[in-house]
Amino acid sequence: MKRRNTPTKEAVLAVLSKSGKALSQDSIEKEIDIAINRATIYRVLNRFCDDGVIHKIVAEDGKQYFALTKKSDKKTLENQHLHFNCVKCKGIECLNVEINFSIPEGYLVENVNCILTGVCKECLKAKK
């Protein structure tokens, strides 16, 4: 079913596209330049996740972040990738590295959430 395009959806997508990194719902709300209710933003984010437009990353502290999904015809684990959480700038970004793992027979993996923690390349450059 094709969903209706709304100013809220356009605003959320614009913020995520401009950022290039994963953002929390609070960060997205601060960046949107039109008046939108917090619950509406959250509903839009969850709908985008359901539709495969964005994906959700749950950080070590339990906070949720959202990032644009890479274009893929397959809605399988092949589109799963690593994420990097910077301890300096607190940013979370998608790394273009596929996750490879094996599990014992008899299990079905439906989701993978892998986050590496450390200092991102931008913060390392600024340190020098």
Short mmCIF file of all heavy atoms in Angstrom, two decimals, residues 57-120:
data_model
loop_
_atom_site.label_atom_id
_atom_site.label_comp_id
_atom_site.label_asym_id
_atom_site.label_seq_id
_atom_site.Cartn_x
_atom_site.Cartn_y
_atom_site.Cartn_z
N ILE A 57 18.59 1.81 15.36
CA ILE A 57 19.77 1.34 16.07
C ILE A 57 19.53 1.59 17.55
O ILE A 57 19.19 2.70 17.93
CB ILE A 57 21.04 2.10 15.63
CG1 ILE A 57 21.24 1.97 14.12
CG2 ILE A 57 22.26 1.63 16.39
CD1 ILE A 57 21.34 3.27 13.41
N VAL A 58 19.69 0.57 18.37
CA VAL A 58 19.53 0.74 19.81
C VAL A 58 20.93 0.79 20.42
O VAL A 58 21.69 -0.17 20.32
CB VAL A 58 18.70 -0.41 20.43
CG1 VAL A 58 18.55 -0.20 21.92
CG2 VAL A 58 17.35 -0.51 19.75
N ALA A 59 21.27 1.94 21.00
CA ALA A 59 22.59 2.15 21.58
C ALA A 59 22.72 1.39 22.90
O ALA A 59 21.74 0.87 23.44
CB ALA A 59 22.85 3.64 21.79
N GLU A 60 23.94 1.35 23.41
CA GLU A 60 24.21 0.64 24.65
C GLU A 60 23.37 1.15 25.82
O GLU A 60 23.02 0.39 26.71
CB GLU A 60 25.69 0.76 25.01
CG GLU A 60 26.58 -0.01 24.07
CD GLU A 60 28.06 0.23 24.35
OE1 GLU A 60 28.41 1.17 25.07
OE2 GLU A 60 28.86 -0.56 23.82
N ASP A 61 23.03 2.45 25.81
CA ASP A 61 22.22 3.02 26.89
C ASP A 61 20.72 2.82 26.67
O ASP A 61 19.91 3.29 27.46
CB ASP A 61 22.54 4.50 27.07
CG ASP A 61 22.19 5.34 25.85
OD1 ASP A 61 21.69 4.78 24.84
OD2 ASP A 61 22.41 6.56 25.90
N GLY A 62 20.34 2.12 25.60
CA GLY A 62 18.94 1.85 25.32
C GLY A 62 18.26 2.90 24.46
O GLY A 62 17.12 2.71 24.04
N LYS A 63 18.95 4.01 24.19
CA LYS A 63 18.37 5.07 23.37
C LYS A 63 18.30 4.62 21.92
O LYS A 63 19.21 3.96 21.43
CB LYS A 63 19.21 6.34 23.50
CG LYS A 63 18.56 7.56 22.92
CD LYS A 63 19.30 8.81 23.33
CE LYS A 63 18.54 10.03 22.87
NZ LYS A 63 19.16 11.26 23.33
N GLN A 64 17.22 4.99 21.23
CA GLN A 64 17.03 4.60 19.84
C GLN A 64 17.50 5.71 18.90
O GLN A 64 17.24 6.89 19.13
CB GLN A 64 15.55 4.32 19.56
CG GLN A 64 15.03 3.14 20.34
CD GLN A 64 13.55 2.91 20.07
OE1 GLN A 64 12.89 3.66 19.37
NE2 GLN A 64 13.03 1.85 20.64
N TYR A 65 18.17 5.29 17.84
CA TYR A 65 18.64 6.19 16.79
C TYR A 65 18.11 5.67 15.46
O TYR A 65 17.87 4.48 15.31
CB TYR A 65 20.17 6.23 16.76
CG TYR A 65 20.76 6.88 17.99
CD1 TYR A 65 20.92 6.16 19.17
CD2 TYR A 65 21.12 8.22 17.97
CE1 TYR A 65 21.43 6.76 20.30
CE2 TYR A 65 21.64 8.82 19.11
CZ TYR A 65 21.79 8.09 20.27
OH TYR A 65 22.30 8.69 21.39
N PHE A 66 17.95 6.58 14.51
CA PHE A 66 17.38 6.23 13.22
C PHE A 66 18.29 6.72 12.10
O PHE A 66 18.81 7.84 12.16
CB PHE A 66 15.99 6.85 13.07
CG PHE A 66 15.04 6.43 14.16
CD1 PHE A 66 14.97 7.14 15.35
CD2 PHE A 66 14.25 5.31 14.01
CE1 PHE A 66 14.11 6.75 16.37
CE2 PHE A 66 13.39 4.90 15.02
CZ PHE A 66 13.32 5.63 16.20
N ALA A 67 18.47 5.88 11.06
CA ALA A 67 19.30 6.25 9.92
C ALA A 67 18.64 5.74 8.65
O ALA A 67 17.90 4.76 8.66
CB ALA A 67 20.70 5.64 10.06
N LEU A 68 18.92 6.43 7.55
CA LEU A 68 18.40 5.99 6.26
C LEU A 68 18.93 4.61 5.93
O LEU A 68 20.09 4.30 6.21
CB LEU A 68 18.80 6.97 5.16
CG LEU A 68 18.14 8.34 5.22
CD1 LEU A 68 18.73 9.25 4.16
CD2 LEU A 68 16.63 8.23 5.05
N THR A 69 18.09 3.77 5.34
CA THR A 69 18.48 2.43 4.94
C THR A 69 19.12 2.50 3.57
O THR A 69 18.68 3.24 2.70
CB THR A 69 17.24 1.52 4.90
OG1 THR A 69 16.67 1.49 6.20
CG2 THR A 69 17.59 0.12 4.46
N LYS A 70 20.19 1.73 3.39
CA LYS A 70 20.82 1.63 2.09
C LYS A 70 19.84 0.97 1.13
O LYS A 70 19.10 0.08 1.50
CB LYS A 70 22.09 0.79 2.17
CG LYS A 70 23.08 1.25 3.22
CD LYS A 70 23.88 2.43 2.71
CE LYS A 70 24.99 2.78 3.67
NZ LYS A 70 24.67 3.79 4.63
N LYS A 71 19.84 1.43 -0.10
CA LYS A 71 18.93 0.86 -1.10
C LYS A 71 19.29 -0.60 -1.35
O LYS A 71 20.41 -0.93 -1.66
CB LYS A 71 19.01 1.63 -2.42
CG LYS A 71 18.55 3.07 -2.29
CD LYS A 71 17.09 3.14 -2.01
CE LYS A 71 16.63 4.59 -1.93
NZ LYS A 71 15.44 4.77 -1.20
N SER A 72 18.32 -1.46 -1.16
CA SER A 72 18.53 -2.89 -1.38
C SER A 72 17.20 -3.52 -1.78
O SER A 72 16.16 -3.19 -1.21
CB SER A 72 19.04 -3.55 -0.10
OG SER A 72 19.12 -4.93 -0.26
N ASP A 73 17.24 -4.39 -2.75
CA ASP A 73 16.02 -5.07 -3.17
C ASP A 73 15.65 -6.16 -2.17
O ASP A 73 14.52 -6.59 -2.12
CB ASP A 73 16.22 -5.72 -4.54
CG ASP A 73 16.41 -4.69 -5.63
OD1 ASP A 73 15.89 -3.57 -5.47
OD2 ASP A 73 17.08 -5.00 -6.62
N LYS A 74 16.62 -6.59 -1.38
CA LYS A 74 16.40 -7.69 -0.46
C LYS A 74 16.11 -7.15 0.94
O LYS A 74 16.84 -6.34 1.45
CB LYS A 74 17.62 -8.59 -0.40
CG LYS A 74 18.01 -9.18 -1.73
CD LYS A 74 19.28 -9.98 -1.60
CE LYS A 74 19.75 -10.48 -2.94
NZ LYS A 74 21.04 -11.14 -2.84
N LYS A 75 15.04 -7.65 1.55
CA LYS A 75 14.76 -7.29 2.94
C LYS A 75 15.19 -8.46 3.81
O LYS A 75 14.39 -9.13 4.43
CB LYS A 75 13.27 -6.99 3.13
CG LYS A 75 12.87 -5.70 2.47
CD LYS A 75 11.59 -5.20 3.04
CE LYS A 75 11.32 -3.83 2.46
NZ LYS A 75 10.36 -3.09 3.19
N THR A 76 16.48 -8.72 3.79
CA THR A 76 17.03 -9.84 4.54
C THR A 76 18.15 -9.33 5.44
O THR A 76 18.45 -8.14 5.47
CB THR A 76 17.62 -10.90 3.59
OG1 THR A 76 18.74 -10.32 2.91
CG2 THR A 76 16.60 -11.38 2.58
N LEU A 77 18.79 -10.23 6.13
CA LEU A 77 19.91 -9.86 6.99
C LEU A 77 21.11 -9.37 6.19
O LEU A 77 22.03 -8.82 6.75
CB LEU A 77 20.30 -11.04 7.88
CG LEU A 77 19.28 -11.40 8.95
CD1 LEU A 77 19.73 -12.65 9.70
CD2 LEU A 77 19.06 -10.26 9.91
N GLU A 78 21.09 -9.55 4.86
CA GLU A 78 22.21 -9.09 4.05
C GLU A 78 22.35 -7.57 4.11
O GLU A 78 23.40 -7.03 3.82
CB GLU A 78 22.03 -9.55 2.59
CG GLU A 78 22.16 -11.04 2.43
CD GLU A 78 21.85 -11.49 1.02
OE1 GLU A 78 21.92 -10.67 0.09
OE2 GLU A 78 21.55 -12.67 0.85
N ASN A 79 21.29 -6.86 4.46
CA ASN A 79 21.34 -5.40 4.55
C ASN A 79 21.79 -4.94 5.95
O ASN A 79 21.84 -3.75 6.22
CB ASN A 79 19.97 -4.80 4.20
CG ASN A 79 20.08 -3.34 3.84
OD1 ASN A 79 21.09 -2.88 3.31
ND2 ASN A 79 19.06 -2.58 4.15
N GLN A 80 22.10 -5.87 6.84
CA GLN A 80 22.57 -5.53 8.18
C GLN A 80 24.04 -5.12 8.10
O GLN A 80 24.79 -5.64 7.30
CB GLN A 80 22.40 -6.71 9.14
CG GLN A 80 20.98 -7.16 9.30
CD GLN A 80 20.12 -6.14 10.01
OE1 GLN A 80 20.58 -5.36 10.82
NE2 GLN A 80 18.83 -6.14 9.70
N HIS A 81 24.43 -4.18 8.95
CA HIS A 81 25.79 -3.68 8.93
C HIS A 81 26.19 -3.20 10.32
O HIS A 81 25.36 -3.12 11.21
CB HIS A 81 25.90 -2.53 7.91
CG HIS A 81 24.87 -1.47 8.13
ND1 HIS A 81 23.62 -1.54 7.58
CD2 HIS A 81 24.89 -0.33 8.85
CE1 HIS A 81 22.91 -0.49 7.96
NE2 HIS A 81 23.65 0.26 8.74
N LEU A 82 27.47 -2.88 10.48
CA LEU A 82 27.97 -2.38 11.76
C LEU A 82 27.62 -0.91 11.94
O LEU A 82 27.46 -0.17 10.97
CB LEU A 82 29.49 -2.53 11.82
CG LEU A 82 30.04 -3.95 11.90
CD1 LEU A 82 31.55 -3.92 11.74
CD2 LEU A 82 29.65 -4.60 13.20
N HIS A 83 27.54 -0.50 13.19
CA HIS A 83 27.35 0.90 13.55
C HIS A 83 28.47 1.31 14.50
O HIS A 83 29.01 0.47 15.22
CB HIS A 83 25.99 1.10 14.25
CG HIS A 83 24.85 0.74 13.36
ND1 HIS A 83 24.28 -0.51 13.37
CD2 HIS A 83 24.18 1.45 12.42
CE1 HIS A 83 23.30 -0.55 12.47
NE2 HIS A 83 23.23 0.63 11.88
N PHE A 84 28.82 2.57 14.47
CA PHE A 84 29.91 3.07 15.32
C PHE A 84 29.37 4.20 16.20
O PHE A 84 28.78 5.16 15.69
CB PHE A 84 31.08 3.59 14.48
CG PHE A 84 32.31 3.82 15.29
CD1 PHE A 84 33.22 2.80 15.49
CD2 PHE A 84 32.54 5.05 15.89
CE1 PHE A 84 34.35 3.00 16.28
CE2 PHE A 84 33.67 5.27 16.67
CZ PHE A 84 34.58 4.24 16.86
N ASN A 85 29.57 4.08 17.50
CA ASN A 85 29.13 5.09 18.47
C ASN A 85 30.36 5.79 19.02
O ASN A 85 31.19 5.17 19.68
CB ASN A 85 28.34 4.40 19.59
CG ASN A 85 27.76 5.37 20.59
OD1 ASN A 85 27.76 6.58 20.38
ND2 ASN A 85 27.25 4.85 21.67
N CYS A 86 30.48 7.10 18.73
CA CYS A 86 31.64 7.87 19.19
C CYS A 86 31.42 8.34 20.63
O CYS A 86 30.40 8.96 20.94
CB CYS A 86 31.88 9.07 18.27
SG CYS A 86 33.30 10.06 18.77
N VAL A 87 32.39 8.08 21.49
CA VAL A 87 32.29 8.49 22.89
C VAL A 87 32.56 9.99 23.06
O VAL A 87 32.20 10.55 24.09
CB VAL A 87 33.24 7.67 23.79
CG1 VAL A 87 32.85 6.20 23.79
CG2 VAL A 87 34.69 7.84 23.38
N LYS A 88 33.16 10.62 22.07
CA LYS A 88 33.46 12.07 22.15
C LYS A 88 32.25 12.90 21.71
O LYS A 88 31.73 13.70 22.47
CB LYS A 88 34.66 12.43 21.28
CG LYS A 88 35.95 11.80 21.73
CD LYS A 88 36.53 12.55 22.88
CE LYS A 88 37.92 12.01 23.19
NZ LYS A 88 38.45 12.50 24.40
N CYS A 89 31.82 12.73 20.45
CA CYS A 89 30.74 13.56 19.91
C CYS A 89 29.36 12.93 20.11
O CYS A 89 28.34 13.54 19.80
CB CYS A 89 30.97 13.86 18.43
SG CYS A 89 30.84 12.42 17.35
N LYS A 90 29.33 11.70 20.60
CA LYS A 90 28.10 10.94 20.85
C LYS A 90 27.35 10.58 19.57
O LYS A 90 26.20 10.15 19.62
CB LYS A 90 27.15 11.69 21.80
CG LYS A 90 27.77 12.13 23.10
CD LYS A 90 28.21 10.95 23.92
CE LYS A 90 28.75 11.44 25.25
NZ LYS A 90 29.83 10.67 25.76
N GLY A 91 27.98 10.77 18.41
CA GLY A 91 27.34 10.42 17.14
C GLY A 91 27.34 8.93 16.90
O GLY A 91 28.21 8.20 17.37
N ILE A 92 26.33 8.48 16.17
CA ILE A 92 26.25 7.09 15.74
C ILE A 92 26.16 7.09 14.23
O ILE A 92 25.33 7.80 13.66
CB ILE A 92 25.04 6.36 16.35
CG1 ILE A 92 25.23 6.22 17.85
CG2 ILE A 92 24.85 4.99 15.70
CD1 ILE A 92 24.16 5.43 18.56
N GLU A 93 27.03 6.31 13.60
CA GLU A 93 27.00 6.26 12.14
C GLU A 93 27.03 4.83 11.64
O GLU A 93 27.51 3.93 12.33
CB GLU A 93 28.13 7.07 11.53
CG GLU A 93 29.51 6.61 11.89
CD GLU A 93 30.58 7.53 11.34
OE1 GLU A 93 30.73 7.59 10.11
OE2 GLU A 93 31.25 8.19 12.14
N CYS A 94 26.48 4.64 10.46
CA CYS A 94 26.50 3.33 9.81
C CYS A 94 27.85 3.14 9.16
O CYS A 94 28.37 4.05 8.52
CB CYS A 94 25.40 3.26 8.75
SG CYS A 94 23.74 3.50 9.40
N LEU A 95 28.42 1.96 9.34
CA LEU A 95 29.67 1.62 8.68
C LEU A 95 29.36 0.68 7.52
O LEU A 95 28.55 -0.23 7.66
CB LEU A 95 30.63 0.93 9.66
CG LEU A 95 31.06 1.75 10.87
CD1 LEU A 95 31.95 0.92 11.77
CD2 LEU A 95 31.75 3.03 10.46
N ASN A 96 30.00 0.92 6.41
CA ASN A 96 29.75 0.11 5.22
C ASN A 96 30.53 -1.21 5.31
O ASN A 96 31.38 -1.51 4.49
CB ASN A 96 30.14 0.89 3.97
CG ASN A 96 29.63 0.23 2.71
OD1 ASN A 96 28.72 -0.59 2.76
ND2 ASN A 96 30.23 0.56 1.59
N VAL A 97 30.23 -1.95 6.38
CA VAL A 97 30.87 -3.23 6.62
C VAL A 97 29.78 -4.24 6.95
O VAL A 97 29.01 -4.04 7.89
CB VAL A 97 31.88 -3.15 7.81
CG1 VAL A 97 32.50 -4.48 8.08
CG2 VAL A 97 32.92 -2.09 7.55
N GLU A 98 29.69 -5.28 6.15
CA GLU A 98 28.67 -6.29 6.39
C GLU A 98 29.05 -7.15 7.60
O GLU A 98 30.22 -7.41 7.85
CB GLU A 98 28.55 -7.19 5.15
CG GLU A 98 27.36 -8.10 5.18
CD GLU A 98 27.21 -8.86 3.89
OE1 GLU A 98 27.11 -8.22 2.82
OE2 GLU A 98 27.19 -10.11 3.95
N ILE A 99 28.06 -7.59 8.33
CA ILE A 99 28.27 -8.44 9.50
C ILE A 99 28.23 -9.90 9.06
O ILE A 99 27.29 -10.32 8.39
CB ILE A 99 27.17 -8.19 10.55
CG1 ILE A 99 27.20 -6.74 11.01
CG2 ILE A 99 27.34 -9.14 11.73
CD1 ILE A 99 26.00 -6.35 11.83
N ASN A 100 29.24 -10.65 9.43
CA ASN A 100 29.26 -12.08 9.15
C ASN A 100 29.30 -12.83 10.47
O ASN A 100 30.10 -12.52 11.34
CB ASN A 100 30.50 -12.45 8.32
CG ASN A 100 30.45 -11.84 6.94
OD1 ASN A 100 29.46 -12.01 6.24
ND2 ASN A 100 31.47 -11.11 6.57
N PHE A 101 28.41 -13.79 10.63
CA PHE A 101 28.38 -14.57 11.86
C PHE A 101 27.80 -15.94 11.56
O PHE A 101 27.19 -16.16 10.51
CB PHE A 101 27.55 -13.86 12.94
CG PHE A 101 26.12 -13.60 12.53
CD1 PHE A 101 25.14 -14.55 12.76
CD2 PHE A 101 25.78 -12.42 11.92
CE1 PHE A 101 23.84 -14.32 12.38
CE2 PHE A 101 24.47 -12.17 11.55
CZ PHE A 101 23.49 -13.13 11.77
N SER A 102 27.98 -16.84 12.49
CA SER A 102 27.34 -18.15 12.39
C SER A 102 26.70 -18.46 13.73
O SER A 102 27.19 -18.03 14.77
CB SER A 102 28.36 -19.23 12.00
OG SER A 102 29.35 -19.34 12.99
N ILE A 103 25.60 -19.17 13.68
CA ILE A 103 24.89 -19.54 14.91
C ILE A 103 24.60 -21.04 14.86
O ILE A 103 24.60 -21.65 13.80
CB ILE A 103 23.57 -18.74 15.08
CG1 ILE A 103 22.63 -18.98 13.89
CG2 ILE A 103 23.86 -17.26 15.24
CD1 ILE A 103 21.25 -18.41 14.09
N PRO A 104 24.34 -21.62 16.02
CA PRO A 104 24.03 -23.05 16.05
C PRO A 104 22.75 -23.37 15.26
O PRO A 104 21.86 -22.52 15.14
CB PRO A 104 23.82 -23.36 17.53
CG PRO A 104 24.47 -22.23 18.25
CD PRO A 104 24.39 -21.04 17.35
N GLU A 105 22.67 -24.56 14.76
CA GLU A 105 21.49 -25.01 14.02
C GLU A 105 20.25 -24.93 14.92
O GLU A 105 20.32 -25.16 16.13
CB GLU A 105 21.71 -26.44 13.56
CG GLU A 105 20.67 -26.91 12.58
CD GLU A 105 21.00 -28.28 12.02
OE1 GLU A 105 22.19 -28.57 11.80
OE2 GLU A 105 20.05 -29.05 11.83
N GLY A 106 19.13 -24.58 14.32
CA GLY A 106 17.88 -24.52 15.07
C GLY A 106 17.48 -23.13 15.50
O GLY A 106 16.43 -22.96 16.13
N TYR A 107 18.26 -22.12 15.18
CA TYR A 107 17.94 -20.74 15.52
C TYR A 107 17.59 -19.97 14.25
O TYR A 107 18.12 -20.24 13.17
CB TYR A 107 19.13 -20.04 16.19
CG TYR A 107 19.42 -20.56 17.57
CD1 TYR A 107 20.25 -21.65 17.75
CD2 TYR A 107 18.87 -19.95 18.69
CE1 TYR A 107 20.54 -22.13 19.01
CE2 TYR A 107 19.15 -20.43 19.96
CZ TYR A 107 19.97 -21.52 20.12
OH TYR A 107 20.24 -21.98 21.37
N LEU A 108 16.72 -18.97 14.38
CA LEU A 108 16.35 -18.10 13.27
C LEU A 108 16.62 -16.66 13.69
O LEU A 108 15.96 -16.15 14.60
CB LEU A 108 14.88 -18.26 12.89
CG LEU A 108 14.33 -17.28 11.87
CD1 LEU A 108 15.02 -17.49 10.52
CD2 LEU A 108 12.83 -17.43 11.73
N VAL A 109 17.58 -16.01 13.06
CA VAL A 109 17.92 -14.62 13.37
C VAL A 109 17.01 -13.72 12.54
O VAL A 109 16.93 -13.84 11.32
CB VAL A 109 19.41 -14.32 13.05
CG1 VAL A 109 19.72 -12.86 13.31
CG2 VAL A 109 20.30 -15.22 13.87
N GLU A 110 16.34 -12.79 13.21
CA GLU A 110 15.46 -11.85 12.52
C GLU A 110 16.02 -10.44 12.50
O GLU A 110 15.63 -9.63 11.68
CB GLU A 110 14.08 -11.85 13.17
CG GLU A 110 13.36 -13.18 12.99
CD GLU A 110 11.98 -13.19 13.59
OE1 GLU A 110 11.62 -12.25 14.30
OE2 GLU A 110 11.26 -14.16 13.32
N ASN A 111 16.93 -10.12 13.41
CA ASN A 111 17.50 -8.79 13.47
C ASN A 111 18.90 -8.87 14.07
O ASN A 111 19.16 -9.71 14.92
CB ASN A 111 16.62 -7.86 14.31
CG ASN A 111 17.10 -6.43 14.28
OD1 ASN A 111 17.63 -5.97 13.28
ND2 ASN A 111 16.91 -5.73 15.37
N VAL A 112 19.76 -7.97 13.62
CA VAL A 112 21.11 -7.88 14.14
C VAL A 112 21.36 -6.43 14.52
O VAL A 112 21.06 -5.53 13.75
CB VAL A 112 22.16 -8.33 13.08
CG1 VAL A 112 23.56 -8.16 13.62
CG2 VAL A 112 21.91 -9.78 12.68
N ASN A 113 21.90 -6.20 15.71
CA ASN A 113 22.19 -4.84 16.17
C ASN A 113 23.61 -4.84 16.72
O ASN A 113 23.83 -5.22 17.86
CB ASN A 113 21.18 -4.42 17.24
CG ASN A 113 21.33 -2.97 17.63
OD1 ASN A 113 21.77 -2.15 16.84
ND2 ASN A 113 20.97 -2.64 18.85
N CYS A 114 24.58 -4.44 15.89
CA CYS A 114 25.98 -4.44 16.31
C CYS A 114 26.51 -3.01 16.35
O CYS A 114 26.48 -2.31 15.34
CB CYS A 114 26.83 -5.26 15.35
SG CYS A 114 26.47 -7.01 15.40
N ILE A 115 26.97 -2.61 17.53
CA ILE A 115 27.51 -1.27 17.70
C ILE A 115 28.93 -1.36 18.25
O ILE A 115 29.17 -1.99 19.27
CB ILE A 115 26.65 -0.44 18.67
CG1 ILE A 115 25.24 -0.27 18.12
CG2 ILE A 115 27.28 0.92 18.92
CD1 ILE A 115 24.31 0.51 19.00
N LEU A 116 29.85 -0.74 17.54
CA LEU A 116 31.23 -0.60 18.01
C LEU A 116 31.32 0.76 18.71
O LEU A 116 30.74 1.73 18.26
CB LEU A 116 32.20 -0.65 16.83
CG LEU A 116 32.10 -1.90 15.95
CD1 LEU A 116 33.00 -1.74 14.74
CD2 LEU A 116 32.47 -3.13 16.74
N THR A 117 32.05 0.82 19.80
CA THR A 117 32.19 2.06 20.56
C THR A 117 33.65 2.49 20.58
O THR A 117 34.54 1.65 20.75
CB THR A 117 31.68 1.86 22.00
OG1 THR A 117 30.33 1.41 21.95
CG2 THR A 117 31.74 3.14 22.80
N GLY A 118 33.89 3.79 20.41
CA GLY A 118 35.24 4.33 20.42
C GLY A 118 35.23 5.79 20.00
O GLY A 118 34.28 6.50 20.30
N VAL A 119 36.27 6.22 19.32
CA VAL A 119 36.38 7.62 18.86
C VAL A 119 36.31 7.62 17.34
O VAL A 119 37.09 6.91 16.68
CB VAL A 119 37.69 8.27 19.36
CG1 VAL A 119 37.79 9.71 18.90
CG2 VAL A 119 37.77 8.19 20.88
N CYS A 120 35.39 8.41 16.78
CA CYS A 120 35.21 8.45 15.33
C CYS A 120 36.37 9.17 14.64
O CYS A 120 37.16 9.87 15.29
CB CYS A 120 33.88 9.11 14.96
SG CYS A 120 33.82 10.90 15.24
#
